[in-house]
Amino acid sequence: MTQEELVAAARDGDQGAFEELVRQTYVATYTLAFRLTGNEEDARDVVQETYLRAWKAIRRFRGDAQFSTWLYRITANTSSSMTQRRSRNRADSLDEGNAEVVDDRPFANPEASSEASALHQRLSAAVAELPPKLRTIVVLKDVYDLPHEAIAEELGISVAAAKVRLHRARKRLRDVLFEERGGVARAV
């Protein structure tokens, strides 16, 4: 069936025809919702509400525009409504008169960016110096954030052994990094 035939059948109450319209337009509708909300969860909520509104209003769809255009309007309106509702319900604890806005993004502060880059290089070099068994455990835990159980299973060792190796690896890293800085600890 063409989209026009599906719309006509859906207007007559054919739920299967409407479901096919949803299948045909879902990706475009979700993409628009995501671009409007900037958030996957909100986009899914918008899409769900959009199709609910469309189903309730399909009998009033006159066909002056394409179904997809009509659906885009519903998506935009739903997104706008949801955004307004969320901003009204959001509680801001800042006193607007005394709040100082601090831009802590790395590229906004060249000095911090340079320090972070240097630290990253030192840390990468220190990790590269670790023996393979210790390097592997640090990467699995601290880079990929795997739980101890998953690391133990991946390496074929006990959970206790994984924890011990991680402790040893972190101690070696600490020793190497603090040795480079003259034994003075620095918060990172």
Side-chain angles (χ1 to χ4, degrees):
M1 293 178 83
T2 67
Q3 201 170 68
E4 292 79 21
E5 292 170 330
L6 289 170
V7 169
R11 270 196 295 208
D12 292 337
D14 184 347
Q15 194 170 359
F18 187 79
E19 288 172 4
E20 181 58 31
L21 285 169
V22 169
R23 275 191 285 280
Q24 289 181 9
T25 59
Y26 184 85
V27 171
T29 303
Y30 176 81
T31 301
L32 176 61
F34 181 79
R35 287 182 177 161
L36 293 172
T37 62
N39 177 308
E40 287 183 36
E41 185 177 329
D42 289 345
R44 284 192 295 268
D45 290 345
V46 166
V47 169
Q48 184 175 6
E49 182 67 25
T50 295
Y51 284 119
L52 182 63
R53 289 181 183 186
W55 173 249
K56 288 179 180 178
I58 191 76
R59 287 192 174 96
R60 295 189 309 268
F61 177 66
R62 296 186 311 263
D64 296 340
Q66 290 184 356
F67 177 76
S68 58
T69 304
W70 180 69
L71 197 58
Y72 290 162
R73 268 190 242 126
I74 295 172
T75 305
N77 289 337
T78 303
S79 176
S80 177
S81 297
M82 181 177 286
T83 303
Q84 287 175 355
R85 200 174 329 124
R86 292 222 168 124
S87 68
R88 275 194 308 261
N89 294 336
R90 187 181 62 194
D92 289 327
S93 62
L94 294 177
D95 178 11
E96 291 183 32
N98 298 329
E100 180 182 331
V101 177
V102 177
D103 189 353
D104 61 353
R105 296 173 293 178
F107 63 85
N109 183 341
E111 185 179 330
S113 180
S114 176
E115 286 179 19
S117 179
L119 176 62
H120 178 73
Q121 289 174 352
R122 283 196 321 274
L123 185 57
S124 294
V127 169
E129 289 178 21
L130 289 173
K133 284 182 177 182
L134 298 182
R135 184 180 331 124
T136 300
I137 204 123
V138 166
V139 169
L140 291 175
K141 181 63 179 164
D142 295 335
V143 176
Y144 290 99
D145 199 28
L146 292 179
H148 293 288
E149 294 78 12
I151 293 170
E153 186 176 323
E154 181 72 28
L155 299 178
I157 59 177
S158 69
V159 174
K163 289 179 180 181
V164 168
R165 282 188 193 175
L166 181 61
H167 176 75
R168 287 181 184 157
R170 287 177 175 168
K171 184 178 180 334
R172 278 200 182 175
L173 287 174
R174 221 176 3 257
D175 291 346
V176 169
L177 292 173
F178 288 144
E179 184 179 293
E180 287 179 11
R181 298 186 87 44
V184 178
R186 179 169 177 197
V188 179

